[in-house]
């Protein structure tokens, strides 16, 4: 849960064994460790192949997915929503760093952005941490196969984010970044994730990807005003 009590948070690090964090409405939230590394890569490859494949062609290979996982998995918080029968339904990772850390986040490398440039563009002053969203994927076909409506994916995303940010402190301390297509960006805004475009896109896998940032202060206020049930899910449990 996002609280306002923590003065610091635990940095991500290698986890050998996955563990279940909680069960909500019949779905299990897990923190993934190295024991599910192969399952994670296979899941992401399958979901991304469905999303980006066109005319029977996939613009990447499984080894591309695995190479990025080798680089980032042990330095990220990675959560998964898993059906009780063991089926992976969704994943989401956060690569987290302190504002003063000189290490570059993926979005900073890809778009030649610095931490201070991102903070300045967002006009936020109290930021202590920046987190880069990574490997966000939900298998809507698996949801349907298990008797869930396709729009259940929103609950899966919320449960993942709740797990990833469970020890976060004041929203003012945190700024999220991610790259996304304009279509995805517009969808996120409709469902209460007020991302802001930071600059021009880069093109790969057949799509334009824009650098985006998300203020947790604005996210919290958006939920409070427009999505009160989801606000309680994040902040009042």
């Amino acid at each position: 849960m996002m609280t306002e009590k923590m003065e610091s948070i635990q940095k991500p690090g290698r986890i050998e064994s996955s563990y279940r964090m909680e069960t909500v409405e019949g779905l299990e939230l897990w923190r993934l460790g190295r024991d599910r590394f192969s399952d994670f890569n296979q899941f992401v490859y399958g979901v991304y192949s469905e999303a980006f494949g066109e005319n029977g062609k996939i613009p990447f290979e499984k080894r591309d997915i695995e190479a990025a996982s080798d680089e980032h998995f042990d330095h990220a918080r990675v959560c998964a929503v898993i059906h009780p029968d063991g089926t992976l339904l969704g994943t989401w990772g956060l690569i987290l760093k302190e504002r003063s850390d000189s290490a570059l986040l993926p979005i900073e490398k890809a778009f030649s952005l610095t931490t201070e440039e991102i903070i300045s563009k967002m006009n936020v002053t109290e930021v202590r941490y920046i987190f880069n969203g990574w490997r966000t994927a939900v298998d809507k076909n698996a949801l349907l196969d298990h008797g869930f409506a396709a729009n259940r994916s929103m609950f899966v995303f919320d449960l993942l984010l709740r797990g990833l940010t469970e020890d976060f402190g004041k929203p003012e301390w945190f700024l999220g970044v991610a790259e996304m297509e304009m279509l995805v960006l517009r969808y996120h805004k409709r469902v209460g994730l007020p991302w802001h475009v930071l600059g021009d896109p880069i093109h790969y896998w057949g799509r334009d990807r824009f650098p985006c940032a998300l203020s947790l202060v604005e996210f919290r206020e958006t939920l409070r005003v427009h999505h009160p049930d989801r606000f309680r899910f994040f902040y009042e449990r």
Side-chain angles (χ1 to χ4, degrees), residues 9 45 62 70 75 81 97 134 160 169 181 211-212 234:
I9 62 175
Y45 176 72
K62 188 178 179 184
D70 280 334
H75 308 289
V81 171
K97 78 168 189 176
W134 183 68
L160 288 165
E181 303 165 54
C212 301
F234 279 105

Side-chain angles (χ1 to χ4, degrees), residues 185-231:
L185 172 65
R186 289 170 179 163
Y187 169 75
H188 276 213
K189 287 189 174 183
R190 286 200 305 272
V191 299
L193 291 162
W195 292 95
H196 296 267
V197 175
L198 299 175
D200 296 329
I202 58 175
H203 188 85
Y204 69 96
W205 291 0
R207 314 281 175 83
D208 282 337
R209 309 290 189 83
F210 291 83
C212 301
L214 171 71
S215 162
L216 285 195
V217 173
E218 188 177 3
F219 171 70
R220 176 171 177 159
E221 183 64 12
T222 299
L223 290 188
R224 188 188 67 80
V225 174
H226 299 290
H227 306 278
D229 290 343
R230 292 171 61 210
F231 177 88

Side-chain angles (χ1 to χ4, degrees), residues 17-219:
S17 299
S18 304
Y19 60 90
R20 186 171 59 189
M21 301 173 69
E22 60 177 328
T23 300
V24 183
E25 297 184 19
L27 295 179
E28 298 175 355
L29 175 68
W30 285 71
R31 179 69 56 82
L32 293 188
R34 270 280 168 175
D35 59 329
R36 298 298 299 265
F37 185 69
S38 295
D39 297 339
F40 168 75
N41 285 326
Q42 184 61 48
F43 176 79
V44 170
Y45 176 72
V47 173
Y48 285 14
S49 296
E50 180 74 19
F52 295 101
E54 294 182 359
N55 301 319
K57 296 182 179 179
I58 301 171
F60 52 84
E61 298 182 9
K62 188 178 179 184
R63 63 185 179 186
D64 298 322
I65 300 296
E66 294 170 338
S69 293
D70 280 334
E71 180 179 0
H72 296 302
F73 188 87
D74 290 339
H75 308 289
R77 297 181 178 199
V78 182
C79 282
V81 171
I82 302 177
H83 189 273
D85 70 4
T87 302
L88 274 168
L89 300 176
T91 60
W92 198 346
L94 297 183
I95 302 169
L96 179 76
K97 78 168 189 176
E98 295 183 18
R99 179 173 178 170
S100 60
D101 191 341
S102 62
L104 295 179
L105 294 169
I107 197 172
E108 294 175 327
K109 293 179 183 178
F111 292 89
S112 299
L113 289 167
T114 68
T115 297
E116 294 306 316
E117 284 174 339
I118 293 169
I119 291 171
S120 176
K121 286 175 181 287
M122 288 296 290
N123 193 28
V124 290
T125 59
E126 298 183 52
V127 171
R128 299 186 185 183
Y129 302 94
I130 295 186
F131 58 89
N132 200 142
W134 183 68
R135 289 296 189 254
T136 310
V138 171
D139 189 340
K140 292 186 178 181
N141 291 326
L143 285 172
L144 293 172
D145 290 343
H146 285 80
F148 297 106
N151 61 9
R152 189 65 168 169
S153 61
M154 190 68 252
F155 173 76
V156 173
F157 281 126
D158 281 352
L159 185 55
L160 288 165
L161 187 57
R162 184 163 94 164
L164 290 167
T165 58
E166 66 170 352
D167 64 345
F168 278 15
K170 294 180 180 180
E172 292 85 355
W173 296 345
F174 295 89
L175 188 66
V177 292
E179 58 178 70
M180 63 185 70
E181 303 165 54
M182 185 57 66
L183 182 64
V184 175
L185 172 65
R186 289 170 179 163
Y187 169 75
H188 276 213
K189 287 189 174 183
R190 286 200 305 272
V191 299
L193 291 162
W195 292 95
H196 296 267
V197 175
L198 299 175
D200 296 329
I202 58 175
H203 188 85
Y204 69 96
W205 291 0
R207 314 281 175 83
D208 282 337
R209 309 290 189 83
F210 291 83
C212 301
L214 171 71
S215 162
L216 285 195
V217 173
E218 188 177 3
F219 171 70

